[in-house]
Amino acid sequence: MNTSTVLTQGFSFQLTEEQVAVQAAAREFAQNELLPGVIERDELQKFPAEQIRKMGELGFMGMMVDPKYNGGGMDTISYVLAMEEISKIDASASVAMSVNNSLVCWGLEKYGTEEQKQKYLTRLATGEIIGAFCLSEPEAGSDATSQKTTAQDRGDYYLLNGTKNWITNGSSASVYIVIAQTYPEKGHKGINALIVEKGIPGFVIGKKENKMGIRGSDTHSLMFTDVKVPKENRIGEDGFGFKFAMSTLNGGRIGIAAQALGIASGAYELSLKYAKERKAFGKEIAQHQAIQFKLADMATQIDAARLLCLQAAFLKDQYADFAKASAMAKLFASKVAMDTTVEAVQIHGGYGYVKEYHVERLMRDAKITQIYEGTSEIQKIVISREILK
């Protein structure tokens, strides 16, 4: 982003020198560390473990965590800027980054006990280990009120049974936050959020999903059979799980909106470069009005999506209500990602349909941004509830 001043809902702010430096560092890392091998990782469905380890060393896996827990102590705006740059190159790496930052680290820091923070957060924030957020189920999807996974209260532990689907970082995580129903008769007030460690008896990781996009992302089903989870691994008070999930997802939407923004801006930058190089009918295709119109639409939509993302981040940093803003950012940015990548393939013509030009991968990656963290229809429900209050 070239301009340093942004206006949003009556607020104004300028990017600080630190925020600009974070953006530049993320861009440099993406170009030097993520771009080499990104096509191969996509083709082989290879999790970018080494790259994510380096992201942890640079502070990208716990950006907003308090330094006393080994985090970067950065604001949400810095996180959005970094997510955009990483996502321009490798959405599989950025979704791992998003889950670890927005869902796992943020949820633990805000609602966890001091013991939980010292045991888990201090290692998650550095990328020494990574986390997973386990809400979606085969029947319930992302509907936290319809959890079939159960956590029966057995005194000093919970007995966990059930299945979770579409879990990012599914086999690479060491710590899993699992949403489960303890008191079915209480509905959403009977749900708990539990910290489950990999390797605990009864916890089985299913096969990796063979996906259309973000193919390097580690997506699995998880099965829990009579898993004993100590009571001290519950996050918050008994029955707090639904509120925990909803609050955490509000922040998670900002990360996914920034990912969608990055996918879109990555496709746009490739298209702009290609349009200036490719010649047809005696001149660069960028000189043809049909291509100019496409580029103009792409640039306008991306700038609008960026403003929505920064607005949501700004409101979150101001401790204001950001539920509507985050849902709007996710809804709009994911649509822009899909629209922009389709046009990017069109601008590239036949070359856009082959892997070496990257845009076909970005188009495949874009679609998931309209699905996870709640589909576009769920975002519209969240927005309509907020505006009808």
Side-chain angles (χ1 to χ4, degrees):
M1 188 174 67
N2 295 322
T3 56
S4 60
T5 302
V6 181
L7 299 177
T8 173
Q9 285 196 359
F11 299 109
S12 66
F13 63 88
Q14 290 184 316
L15 295 184
T16 64
E17 289 184 7
E18 182 184 38
Q19 289 165 347
V20 173
V22 168
Q23 184 184 44
R27 184 185 301 117
E28 182 179 4
F29 176 83
Q31 293 292 331
N32 294 339
E33 300 289 344
L34 290 175
L35 184 57
V38 67
I39 294 174
E40 181 184 16
R41 291 195 300 273
D42 174 78
E43 224 167 63
L44 299 177
Q45 303 186 59
K46 183 180 178 181
F47 183 72
E50 179 63 18
Q51 290 78 9
I52 287 174
R53 183 188 65 77
K54 291 179 180 179
M55 287 165 65
E57 292 174 355
L58 290 171
F60 290 128
M61 297 302 286
M63 293 185 68
M64 298 172 286
V65 176
D66 192 305
K68 71 180 180 181
Y69 301 117
N70 297 332
M74 300 180 201
D75 57 13
T76 315
I77 292 169
S78 296
Y79 169 58
V80 164
L81 296 171
M83 274 292 297
E84 179 182 355
E85 295 300 329
I86 299 293
S87 302
K88 285 180 182 180
I89 304 301
D90 189 351
S92 293
S94 71
V95 72
M97 172 181 166
S98 176
V99 168
N100 206 69
N101 275 281
S102 297
L103 300 181
V104 181
C105 285
W106 187 84
L108 277 173
E109 183 170 19
K110 185 169 179 63
Y111 297 111
T113 64
E114 185 61 28
E115 290 74 21
Q116 290 168 352
K117 293 173 187 177
Q118 292 295 339
K119 186 175 181 180
Y120 302 112
L121 184 60
T122 52
R123 298 165 67 203
L124 288 161
T126 63
E128 176 189 343
I129 60 174
I130 60 175
F133 186 81
C134 308
L135 173 63
S136 295
E137 294 187 355
E139 295 180 23
S142 299
D143 180 5
T145 63
S146 302
Q147 296 295 294
K148 301 299 183 185
T149 299
T150 59
Q152 295 176 319
D153 190 337
R154 294 295 181 88
D156 58 348
Y157 67 88
Y158 290 100
L159 195 65
L160 185 65
N161 284 279
T163 301
K164 295 294 182 179
N165 266 20
W166 318 114
I167 304 305
T168 299
N169 303 336
S171 69
S172 298
S174 299
V175 175
Y176 300 77
I177 298 179
V178 181
I179 310 300
Q181 179 63 262
T182 300
Y183 311 105
E185 69 278 6
K186 293 184 180 180
H188 71 276
K189 294 183 179 180
I191 294 172
N192 278 309
L194 307 176
I195 302 170
V196 179
E197 297 182 31
K198 178 186 281 185
I200 191 170
F203 175 18
V204 175
I205 298 170
K207 70 177 181 66
K208 185 174 182 177
E209 301 292 351
N210 187 359
K211 307 185 299 294
M212 177 176 78
I214 57 167
R215 289 169 60 80
S217 174
D218 196 11
T219 310
H220 291 258
S221 292
L222 309 177
M223 284 74 77
F224 305 95
T225 304
D226 291 338
V227 176
K228 293 182 178 180
V229 183
K231 275 282 181 71
E232 59 263 29
N233 281 29
R234 186 186 71 210
I235 301 175
E237 297 297 322
D238 198 11
F240 181 67
F242 177 78
K243 289 185 178 178
F244 171 83
M246 293 302 98
S247 177
T248 305
L249 285 174
N250 280 338
R253 291 184 180 111
I254 297 176
I256 297 308
Q259 183 191 41
L261 170 64
I263 292 170
S265 53
Y268 166 73
E269 289 177 7
L270 288 169
S271 299
L272 185 62
K273 181 175 182 291
Y274 180 81
K276 291 179 178 179
E277 296 172 349
R278 175 70 170 171
K279 289 186 177 181
F281 304 106
K283 58 183 178 181
E284 297 171 355
I285 64 170
Q287 300 304 314
H288 293 285
Q289 193 176 68
I291 300 299
Q292 292 175 350
F293 282 2
K294 289 182 184 297
L295 293 170
D297 284 340
M298 292 161 80
T300 301
Q301 290 176 347
I302 289 167
D303 275 1
R306 185 177 291 113
L307 286 168
L308 282 171
C309 290
L310 291 173
Q311 172 181 263
F314 181 79
L315 292 174
K316 182 173 179 288
D317 287 337
Q318 297 297 313
Y319 302 100
D321 185 355
F322 63 92
K324 181 183 72 171
S326 65
M328 283 182 167
K330 200 267 186 185
L331 174 67
F332 187 75
S334 62
K335 184 179 186 304
V336 170
M338 199 69 247
D339 292 347
T340 299
T341 54
V342 168
E343 289 287 46
V345 171
Q346 195 71 21
I347 289 171
H348 281 74
Y351 291 107
Y353 210 64
V354 296
K355 293 182 181 296
E356 66 181 287
Y357 283 78
H358 297 282
V359 288
E360 64 84 30
R361 172 175 51 83
L362 290 171
M363 185 179 76
R364 289 186 284 107
D365 289 347
K367 187 58 190 174
I368 193 61
T369 67
Q370 294 183 306
I371 297 172
Y372 54 21
E373 300 297 327
T375 63
S376 297
E377 290 73 22
I378 290 176
Q379 307 312 314
K380 291 177 184 179
I381 291 171
V382 173
I383 294 164
S384 62
R385 283 177 179 170
E386 291 295 318
I387 63 178
L388 290 170
K389 280 183 179 179

